[in-house]
């Protein structure tokens, strides 16, 4: 569960707070909220794992240097709220393999790989950051959301909003060319 915005805590600071205190805070925060109150009441102090503030990894300026390249969370760790971390890592590994297969040397393969992946992963990472920011509303906004969210879900068109992101495919058989890598 996320707590409404407050001063960020490091992992060390969050774990220094006794679990019983975190549980009291969760129960007070989510009292009267549905389903938050039910979840908080069903939680036990020994099941809590305080993590501190969620930090979104900023874009990495260079994904490779020489014969070294970064893949997956090492270079693009989206928030877990996107549900895309493992998928992006697998996609990146596939694209890197295609580039290494089709291009003459590691440096051109790494540059093509970065060109193929950067826009997609940064778009998803930005979406995750927006989701995280909206996931911790204060008490007034939580009350408004209880009324508005059911209406929004009925009107939402998930295919229109996320369809292209979820249908993304990599054509393994398509050769990678340096001139087309930035456009693929």
């Amino acid at each position: 569960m996320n707590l409404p915005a407050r001063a960020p805590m490091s992992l060390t600071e969050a774990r220094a707070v006794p679990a019983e205190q975190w549980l009291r805070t969760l129960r007070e925060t989510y009292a009267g909220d549905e389903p938050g109150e039910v979840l908080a009441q069903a939680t036990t102090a020994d099941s809590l794992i305080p993590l501190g503030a969620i930090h979104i990894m900023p874009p990495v300026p260079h994904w490779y240097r020489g014969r070294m390249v970064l893949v997956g969370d090492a270079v693009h760790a989206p928030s877990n709220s996107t549900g895309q971390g493992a998928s992006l890592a697998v996609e990146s590994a596939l694209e890197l393999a295609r580039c290494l297969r089709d291009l003459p040397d590691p440096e051109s393969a790494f540059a093509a790989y970065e060109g193929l992946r950067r826009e997609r992963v940064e778009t998803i990472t930005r979406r995750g950051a927006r989701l995280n920011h909206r996931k911790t509303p204060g008490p007034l906004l939580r009350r408004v959301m209880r009324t508005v969210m059911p209406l929004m879900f009925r009107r939402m068109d998930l295919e229109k909003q996320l369809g292209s992101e979820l249908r993304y495919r990599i054509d393994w058989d398509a050769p990678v060319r340096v001139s087309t890598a930035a456009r693929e």
Side-chain angles (χ1 to χ4, degrees), residues 75-92:
V75 71
H76 53 68
S79 165
N80 59 359
S81 64
T82 65
Q84 295 294 309
S87 298
L88 289 177
V90 170
E91 289 173 12
S92 289

Side-chain angles (χ1 to χ4, degrees), residues 10 12 21 38 51 79 82 90 114 118 122 134:
S10 70
T12 303
Q21 185 176 334
V38 173
L51 298 176
S79 165
T82 65
V90 170
E114 182 175 346
R118 184 178 281 276
E122 289 182 359
R134 289 189 290 235

Side-chain angles (χ1 to χ4, degrees), residues 9-19 22 49-52:
M9 299 176 96
S10 70
L11 178 59
T12 303
E13 292 168 329
R15 289 193 173 161
V17 176
W22 278 123
I49 303 172
L51 298 176

Side-chain angles (χ1 to χ4, degrees), residues 152-168:
M152 287 181 61
F153 279 123
R154 282 195 291 270
R155 296 181 50 96
M156 259 168 86
D157 184 347
L158 289 177
E159 174 60 30
K160 182 178 178 182
Q161 293 174 316
L162 297 174
S164 62
E165 183 178 304
L166 299 176
R167 284 190 315 274
Y168 182 80

Side-chain angles (χ1 to χ4, degrees), residues 1-5 22-41 135-138 142 146:
M1 297 177 84
N2 292 324
L3 289 171
W22 278 123
L23 188 55
R24 276 193 306 279
T25 301
L26 282 172
R27 288 178 176 166
E28 289 167 7
T29 301
Y30 288 99
D33 184 55
E34 192 57 44
E37 182 174 31
V38 173
L39 293 171
Q41 291 301 324
K135 283 175 75 174
T136 55
R142 281 200 313 271
R146 268 187 242 129

Side-chain angles (χ1 to χ4, degrees), residues 49-160:
I49 303 172
L51 298 176
I54 294 175
H55 297 285
I56 303 299
M57 188 170 133
V60 175
H62 305 285
W63 291 19
Y64 66 96
R65 184 179 314 151
R67 296 182 60 84
M68 188 276 306
V69 65
L70 299 173
V71 180
D73 283 358
V75 71
H76 53 68
S79 165
N80 59 359
S81 64
T82 65
Q84 295 294 309
S87 298
L88 289 177
V90 170
E91 289 173 12
S92 289
L94 284 170
E95 289 290 27
L96 178 59
R98 288 179 61 231
C99 292
L100 288 167
R101 175 193 70 192
D102 296 342
L103 299 173
D105 59 85
E107 187 147 351
S108 62
F110 296 164
Y113 151 71
E114 182 175 346
L116 287 166
R117 299 299 298 152
R118 184 178 281 276
E119 182 180 346
R120 176 168 167 75
V121 300
E122 289 182 359
T123 297
I124 292 171
T125 300
R126 283 190 303 273
R127 181 174 62 80
R130 286 191 308 272
L131 280 171
N132 286 345
H133 182 70
R134 289 189 290 235
K135 283 175 75 174
T136 55
L140 177 62
L141 187 52
R142 281 200 313 271
R143 283 195 290 278
V144 170
M145 286 175 63
R146 268 187 242 129
T147 304
V148 173
M149 290 306 283
L151 299 172
M152 287 181 61
F153 279 123
R154 282 195 291 270
R155 296 181 50 96
M156 259 168 86
D157 184 347
L158 289 177
E159 174 60 30
K160 182 178 178 182

